[in-house]
Amino acid sequence: MTAGSGSALGRFVGRLAAVGALLGAALIVVPAWYVRRVSDDRMKSIDDVPAQPVALVLGAEVYADGQPSRYLRARLDVARELFDAGKVEAILVSGDGTRHYNETGGMRDYLIAHGVPARRIAGDYAGFDTYDSCVRARKVFGATRVIVVSQSYHLPRALTICRAIGLDAWGVGDDSVRSNQEMWSYGTLRELGANLKMMWDLVSRRRPVLGPHDDSLDRALQS
C-alpha cells in the first residue's frame, strides 16, 4: 500500500467514524427531544394538575420483606397526596407481581397503611415495564384519563407512551429523592436508552401480556 492510498483509507475511516458518531448522537437526542416536546405541558404539581379519575403509580423495587424502596415510597406518597387532595378517585398500582417478588402487593399494603382505603386501590400484577403498565391500564383496566406518578425524570417517557396509546394522561413527578445524586443521575441517563426501547415498542405496537377485562378499577371508582 502506498502512502497516498494509506492516507485516503485513513480519511475514509475517519469520515465513517464521524457519520457513525452523528447517527449515534441522533438516536439519543431525537427521542429525548420528542418525549420532552410531548410531555412538558403535561407535567404538573399536585396543586396544579387537573383532577382525573385515576392515579397510575408505576412500580419500582420492593425489598424482600415487602417494603417499598425509597424511590417507590416517594411515588406512593405522591399518589396518597393526590387522593387526599381530591385530585383522583382511585389509585391503580402497577408493577411486577409474581409468587416470589410482588411489587404490586407491597405498593398496595403501603397505601393502605398510610390511610388510603383498600376499596379505592386496584392492582395490576403484570406491569412488567412502563410500556406494559400504560397499555394494560388502557386495554385491561379500561382507564381513559389518568395522572401518572413516578420520579420526574421518568415521567416524560411514561406520558409519551400513554398519549401515544390513547390515554389522556397528566403527570406528577417526585423530586424528593433527588438528594441521592448518584442514583438520580443514573436514572436520568438510563432514560436515554429507555427512550429507544419506547420508540421501538410504539412503532412495532408491541403487545404486552393482556387477557380479559379486569373490573377491579371499575369497582374502585364506584366504591
Side-chain angles (χ1 to χ4, degrees):
M1 180 182 294
T2 66
S5 62
S7 60
L9 178 60
R11 288 194 298 272
F12 173 76
V13 171
R15 290 169 183 168
L16 191 63
V19 170
L22 287 173
L23 289 175
L27 285 173
I28 293 173
V29 172
V30 172
W33 168 82
Y34 175 70
V35 298
R36 282 290 177 183
R37 182 179 180 186
V38 169
S39 64
D40 263 356
D41 64 343
R42 290 282 174 140
M43 296 172 62
K44 303 291 183 180
S45 68
I46 292 173
D47 291 336
D48 295 337
V49 70
Q52 304 294 322
V54 178
L56 171 61
V57 187
L58 301 174
E61 183 183 11
V62 168
Y63 300 133
D65 63 358
Q67 293 299 310
S69 61
R70 182 186 177 196
Y71 272 55
L72 186 51
R73 288 198 307 271
R75 300 179 189 187
L76 295 166
D77 287 340
V78 169
R80 176 180 52 79
E81 291 179 43
L82 286 168
F83 182 82
D84 290 344
K87 294 289 186 171
V88 297
E89 302 168 30
I91 300 174
L92 175 60
V93 292
S94 181
D96 190 343
T98 66
R99 179 180 177 184
H100 301 291
Y101 179 72
N102 191 344
E103 287 179 2
T104 308
M107 296 162 77
R108 182 184 181 89
D109 291 345
Y110 182 89
L111 288 172
I112 294 170
H114 287 78
V116 179
R119 67 181 185 279
R120 293 288 188 172
I121 306 169
D124 179 4
Y125 292 84
F128 300 127
D129 62 18
T130 303
Y131 178 81
D132 288 15
S133 291
C134 296
V135 172
R136 284 178 56 82
R138 180 77 179 90
K139 292 185 175 293
V140 176
F141 291 85
T144 57
R145 297 164 54 221
V146 301
I147 298 175
V148 182
V149 179
S150 186
Q151 269 67 51
S152 57
Y153 62 74
H154 181 203
L155 276 184
R157 177 166 59 94
L159 288 172
T160 299
I161 293 170
C162 284
R163 300 187 71 187
I165 64 170
L167 269 175
D168 181 10
W170 296 80
V172 175
D174 166 70
D175 289 313
S176 69
V177 295
R178 194 168 193 157
S179 57
N180 185 339
Q181 194 58 50
E182 183 178 351
M183 286 296 295
W184 188 272
S185 297
Y186 169 77
T188 302
L189 288 173
R190 182 178 179 275
E191 283 301 299
L192 297 176
N195 286 339
L196 295 177
K197 178 181 181 301
M198 175 204 70
M199 298 298 289
W200 172 254
D201 286 339
L202 293 177
V203 170
S204 67
R205 297 183 180 181
R206 178 173 68 81
R207 184 180 176 87
V209 175
L210 293 176
H213 175 70
D214 187 319
D215 67 355
S216 60
L217 183 59
D218 299 329
R219 288 186 275 109
L221 288 167
Q222 293 166 5
S223 65

